[in-house]
Amino acid sequence: MQLIGTIYGEVKPTEFEILLINPNIERGSYVKIDHEQYGWVLSKIDTIRRYISAEDQEITLAKAHAIAYKGEKSILVPKIPFKPEERVYLGDRKLIRQILGLKKSKTNNIYLGLLEGHNLTVYLDVHKTINKHISVLAKTGAGKSYTVAVLLEELLDKGIPIIIIDPHGEYSSLNYENDDLESMEKYEIKPKTYANKVTEYSPDIVVNPDAKKLAIQPRFTLYELIEIMPMRLNDVQKSIVYDSLKRLEGKEYSIQDLINVVRMDDRRTKWKVINGLETLRDSGIFEGKAVTEEELVKKGHASIINLKGLEPKIQQLVVTKIARDLFEAKKLNKIPNLFFLIEEAHNFCPERGFGEAMSSNILRTVASEGRKFGFHLGVVSQRPARVDKNVLSQCNTQIILKITNPNDLRAIGQSIEGFTPGMENDIRQLSVGHALVVGECVEQPITVDIRTRKSRHYDAARFTPKKELEPGMIDKIKPIFLKEEVKPTKKSYWDKFKSIFLKET
Ligand SMILES: Nc1ncnc2c1ncn2[C@@H]1O[C@H](COP(=O)(O)OP(=O)(O)OP(=O)(O)O)[C@@H](O)[C@H]1O
Ligand SMILES: [Mg+2]
C-alpha cells in the first residue's frame, strides 16, 4: 500500500482535506482511507494547492471527497466522518473497480480506455452502456467521432448490428487498419480492419463512389413531400399534392406515377407541383433497387449511411425513412436488436427554436419507445443545447468530452441526474480524447482516457476513394434545391479594392 498523506483539519462525512506527503499525486486520483466502521472507503482528489507555511515549510494540501464503500449488499456512501488525521493511501485496482462498477475482463464488455490518472482498463457492460440509449457530446475537435469509432469497434467485435448516420462520410475509415502502432502500445491493442463487417451506402454515389447505391422509396407523407419540394407550395398546391397522394394510398408507385396523377388535376397551379416533382425525379436519389431492412441490419455488421454531398432536407428525408422503416421492422421483430448512431444529431432532431427537421418526430419516438423493442440510439453532437431535449434526456449513458460553451453545459446539466458544479468544472478542463462517462454502466461518473482506435481515424487529406467515377454518373445526380442566383455586380470587390487602394502612380 502506498501512503500518500494524512487527513488534515476538520472532517465532514464526505468532504475533507489531505496533507500530502507524495508530490506526484494528481487532481482526479483515487485514494482510500480505512474507516473505523465501514472499512476501506474510496475517495477522490478534487483540487490540490501548494504554499509556504508561517514556519517556512512547503505544504501540499488536497481537497477530496469520499465516494463510497462496499456494504454487505450494495455500494454505500459514508455518513460518519473519518477519524481526524487518518492515513490516506493510493486507491488499489480491486477497490476502484468494485466501487466504480468497472468490469474485470474484456469478454462481452466494452473496452473504452484507461481510467484517468490510473493505469486501469475501463471495461463497461455492453447492455448497461447502450440499452437505454447513449449520447456522445463535446465541442468540435474534442474527440467525439474518435470515441464513437472506439465504441463501434467494440460493438462490432461483440456482433451487435449497427446503423451509422454519417453526414461527413468519415466512418468508412473503419475499413483500414490504424498504422499508429506506437500509441497502441499504451492500451495494449493491435491494428484491425473492419472491412468485412462494414457496408457503406449512399444515395449519392457520385460524391461517394465507394458506396453502394441507396435508393429512397418515394413513399411520402404529405408533410415530407411538402418539406422536400424544391420550392414553397401555396395552399392550393398543397391540396393538389394531398389529393394525389390519397389516390395512390396503398399502392406501389414511383415519382413518375405521382406526376401522372397530379397531371389529371384540373387546377391550373398544378404545373408548379409537376415541375417540382420532375426536379425530384431527375435528381437520381429515388433511382435504383431499395435495400431491405434485413440487408441493413445484420449480426456483426455495420451499415454506414453516408450522406456526404446531400442537401440537408434530403439528409433528413433519408434519416426519417430509414429510422421509420427500421423501427417498424423492429417492432414486428423482423430484424435483430440494433444500435442506431446519429452524428450531428442537432441537424436531425433540433431543439425548438433551432430549426425544424422532418426526422424529429421519428427520432423522438425511437428515443422514448425504442428501448422496449431493442432499438438503441446513439446521439452525437457538438451543440448539446441545440439537440431536442426530449431525445437527449432519454439517453441514459453520457460520454462527455471537453465542452466550454455555457449553454451546452447547461443543456447537459439538465439532461443528467445528479449533475454537480464539480462535474461541470471537470468537463471544461478535459483534454482532447478524455471523456467523462456517466450513467448506469458506471456506479460513479468516471473520467476515461479513451483508447487508441484499432482502425484508422478519418483524415480528409489522406482519404481518396478507391473507385473512379464512371462516365455518365455526374449527369445522374443533380442538385434539387437550386441556389439563389447571384447577380454579377458591375465591378468585383477586388476591382473596387484595387481602384481605391492600389492606384497606379
Ligand atoms: N482518443 C483519442 N486518441 C487519439 N487521438 C484522438 C483521440 N480523440 C481525438 N483525437 C484526435 O483529435 C482529432 C479530433 O477528433 P474527432 O475527429 O473525434 O473530433 P470531433 O469531436 O468529432 O470533431 P467534429 O465536431 O469536428 O466532428 C482526431 O483527428 C484525433 O487526431
Ligand atoms: Mg466528428
Side-chain angles (χ1 to χ4, degrees):
M1 284 199 297
Q2 193 183 338
L3 184 71
I4 59 146
T6 48
I7 290 188
Y8 178 83
E10 189 187 295
V11 197
K12 291 184 185 166
T14 56
E15 279 170 50
F16 55 95
E17 287 198 311
I18 306 167
L19 183 63
L20 290 174
I21 54 165
N22 184 336
N24 297 323
I25 297 299
E26 291 177 353
R27 178 181 160 266
S29 299
Y30 290 96
V31 297
K32 63 175 186 179
I33 300 145
D34 197 5
H35 192 285
E36 50 205 332
Q37 277 211 16
Y38 309 129
W40 289 109
V41 178
L42 190 72
S43 303
K44 193 176 183 188
I45 306 248
D46 298 319
T47 55
I48 303 178
R49 65 185 200 277
R50 289 166 83 170
Y51 63 93
I52 304 293
S53 72
E55 291 81 36
D56 221 18
Q57 276 189 337
E58 185 175 327
I59 307 276
T60 309
L61 267 186
K63 269 199 177 141
H65 70 275
I67 298 178
Y69 64 95
K70 193 171 178 303
E72 262 177 40
K73 288 190 191 135
S74 57
I75 305 295
L76 300 168
V77 179
K79 294 204 174 89
I80 304 171
F82 296 109
K83 242 178 28 195
E85 299 190 7
E86 189 60 271
R87 275 174 290 201
V88 181
Y89 300 90
L90 197 64
D92 66 84
R93 285 159 181 264
K94 191 172 164 215
L95 186 71
I96 295 177
R97 279 214 176 96
Q98 240 172 18
I99 303 296
L100 301 183
L102 306 178
K103 300 284 168 193
K104 251 198 225 151
S105 110
K106 69 172 96 174
T107 326
N108 286 329
N109 293 315
I110 291 171
Y111 173 29
L112 203 58
L114 302 175
L115 190 67
E116 192 184 60
H118 295 260
N119 194 16
L120 183 72
T121 43
V122 173
Y123 300 126
L124 304 176
D125 184 287
V126 181
H127 299 292
K128 284 189 180 165
T129 307
I130 64 161
N131 273 15
K132 293 186 186 165
H133 313 312
I134 179 168
S135 61
V136 180
L137 309 168
K139 67 192 270 181
T140 184
K144 289 180 301 295
S145 305
Y146 201 104
T147 306
V148 165
V150 167
L151 187 67
L152 296 177
E153 289 177 357
E154 292 290 322
L155 296 182
L156 275 175
D157 286 341
K158 312 285 174 301
I160 292 171
I162 300 172
I163 300 289
I164 306 167
I165 303 297
D166 182 10
H168 302 299
E170 55 187 331
Y171 286 98
S172 58
S173 73
L174 282 162
N175 286 331
Y176 307 96
E177 288 184 354
N178 188 354
D179 50 13
D180 184 4
L181 298 175
E182 209 181 304
S183 59
M184 286 186 195
E185 269 174 36
K186 176 175 165 194
Y187 306 93
E188 297 182 1
I189 52 163
K190 298 212 163 59
K192 184 166 176 179
T193 157
Y194 288 83
N196 57 357
K197 294 186 169 192
V198 169
T199 310
E200 186 186 3
Y201 296 92
S202 178
D204 188 341
I205 50 171
V206 175
V207 175
N208 308 298
D210 288 341
K212 279 191 180 176
K213 175 85 170 93
L214 180 79
I216 306 170
Q217 286 302 289
R219 309 270 168 282
F220 303 108
T221 61
L222 177 67
Y223 170 59
E224 284 167 4
L225 192 50
I226 290 170
E227 275 293 300
I228 61 157
M229 282 294 253
M231 70 285 278
R232 213 176 264 277
L233 301 184
N234 62 27
D235 285 349
V236 180
Q237 289 154 351
K238 282 179 193 166
S239 103
I240 294 174
V241 173
Y242 177 78
D243 292 346
S244 308
L245 284 176
K246 267 267 170 251
R247 292 178 74 167
L248 287 167
E249 216 168 50
K251 299 192 180 85
E252 285 278 313
Y253 61 88
S254 65
I255 291 257
Q256 188 54 52
D257 296 330
L258 184 57
I259 294 172
N260 295 343
V261 174
V262 175
R263 270 184 207 282
M264 290 192 281
D265 200 285
D266 294 334
R267 290 165 279 189
R268 284 179 69 200
T269 181
K270 69 183 174 186
W271 296 110
K272 191 165 172 194
V273 179
I274 291 172
N275 186 267
L277 288 171
E278 281 172 350
T279 312
L280 286 180
R281 178 196 62 196
D282 297 341
S283 71
I285 58 167
F286 302 99
E287 269 171 24
K289 196 174 155 279
V291 187
T292 64
E293 290 90 12
E294 288 85 352
E295 275 175 276
L296 282 180
V297 182
K298 286 188 287 202
K299 280 235 145 65
H301 193 89
S303 291
I304 300 174
I305 313 298
N306 182 345
L307 302 176
K308 191 170 154 194
L310 294 178
E311 287 156 90
K313 285 193 173 174
I314 298 299
Q315 293 198 5
Q316 290 163 12
L317 179 73
V318 176
V319 171
T320 310
K321 294 225 161 276
I322 291 182
R324 200 195 293 142
D325 289 353
L326 293 183
F327 190 50
E328 289 308 314
K330 188 69 251 243
K331 283 204 278 192
L332 298 172
N333 233 351
K334 277 167 61 185
I335 48 172
N337 290 0
L338 69 146
F339 183 61
F340 190 94
L341 182 98
I342 315 163
E343 266 273 0
E344 309 280 356
H346 48 278
N347 292 332
F348 298 105
C349 46
E351 173 64 348
R352 211 177 293 159
F354 291 102
E356 298 232 329
M358 68 180 99
S359 37
S360 282
N361 268 345
I362 180 65
L363 294 180
R364 247 183 250 144
T365 306
V366 169
S368 59
E369 295 173 29
R371 70 180 66 166
K372 284 193 293 224
F373 301 103
F375 194 118
H376 313 301
L377 212 52
V379 176
V380 187
S381 176
Q382 70 261 29
R383 293 309 315 270
R386 298 190 176 188
V387 180
D388 189 330
K389 298 276 171 304
N390 297 302
V391 174
L392 210 54
S393 60
Q394 292 288 342
C395 296
N396 239 265
T397 304
Q398 279 97 6
I399 300 187
I400 305 159
L401 298 103
K402 188 181 181 84
I403 293 181
T404 47
N405 181 302
N407 293 332
D408 292 330
L409 283 165
R410 201 172 311 124
I412 287 176
Q414 284 163 0
S415 67
I416 297 180
E417 248 175 69
F419 191 75
T420 62
M423 279 157 81
E424 181 173 324
N425 202 31
D426 286 349
I427 294 170
R428 266 203 220 100
Q429 296 184 23
L430 288 167
S431 329
V432 171
H434 286 223
L436 183 75
V437 180
V438 188
E440 245 174 63
C441 58
V442 283
E443 290 286 340
Q444 298 288 332
I446 56 168
T447 309
V448 181
D449 168 3
I450 303 292
R451 72 161 171 79
T452 300
R453 285 183 63 164
K454 298 176 189 173
S455 58
R456 194 187 294 170
H457 194 54
Y458 176 76
D459 173 0
R462 256 177 98 172
F463 183 79
T464 43
K466 282 182 283 179
K467 262 199 234 163
E468 294 277 314
L469 283 184
E470 282 169 29
M473 266 181 162
I474 297 278
D475 301 335
K476 267 194 164 172
I477 302 209
K478 295 179 187 145
I480 296 172
F481 300 97
L482 303 172
K483 303 267 173 311
E484 259 182 59
E485 226 178 279
V486 182
K487 285 195 185 127
T489 46
K490 277 191 187 139
K491 256 188 175 179
S492 74
Y493 179 78
W494 175 240
D495 288 336
K496 269 191 196 160
F497 179 81
K498 270 197 305 190
S499 65
I500 298 170
F501 295 104
L502 303 176
K503 275 195 184 128
E504 281 171 39
T505 47

